Amino acid sequence: MIGDVLARVGDKWTVLVVTFLGDGPKRFSELQRAVAGISQKMLTTTLRNLERDGFCTRKVFPTVPPRVDYELTKLGRDLLVPVRTLVDWAVTNRQRLEAARRRVEKRPAGG
């Protein structure tokens, strides 16, 4: 069970979607624009999984065309705390990580 939870909350798309939903309810199209590189299919799958696991809700408005908003639940807002910490850490340390990768890539093969 713990492995399943970590797989869900540690997924890069989950982290990014939860981060953007942390600013308040979003429409599908808003999320798709905000989460660089995510396909429509992957966003749909991520949102369905987040809803299934209780991290977000999906609200359909009876308009033409239908409007669908996604919003974090209490559980999702609780998840937002460590997710934001992780995102902040990644932003702060991005250059250090890139430098480490360049050092390793410069090593001779087999070394």
Side-chain angles (χ1 to χ4, degrees):
M1 180 63 176
I2 296 298
D4 293 341
V5 172
L6 292 175
R8 167 70 45 241
V9 301
D11 174 74
K12 79 173 182 177
W13 298 124
T14 295
V15 168
L16 292 170
V17 169
V18 166
T19 299
F20 286 111
L21 286 176
D23 296 333
K26 298 280 184 286
R27 296 173 83 168
F28 185 92
S29 58
E30 290 177 292
L31 287 168
Q32 193 167 23
R33 282 190 300 272
V35 181
I38 195 167
S39 68
Q40 181 174 341
K41 181 180 180 196
M42 183 53 68
L43 180 55
T44 299
T45 299
T46 300
L47 288 166
R48 282 184 184 154
N49 288 335
L50 287 171
E51 184 181 13
R52 183 198 70 210
D53 292 342
F55 293 113
C56 79
T57 58
R58 178 179 183 268
K59 185 173 182 182
V60 179
F61 295 89
T63 59
V64 178
R67 175 179 160 186
V68 181
D69 282 0
Y70 295 88
E71 184 173 14
L72 292 179
T73 61
K74 169 75 169 94
L75 183 63
R77 288 189 303 277
D78 289 347
L79 175 61
L80 186 60
V81 174
V83 163
R84 279 192 171 152
T85 300
L86 180 60
V87 169
D88 289 346
W89 182 90
V91 169
T92 299
N93 291 286
R94 188 184 77 225
Q95 291 179 340
R96 291 171 60 197
L97 294 167
E98 290 170 357
R101 288 176 182 172
R102 285 191 300 274
R103 281 193 302 275
V104 169
E105 290 168 358
K106 286 182 182 178
R107 284 191 207 161

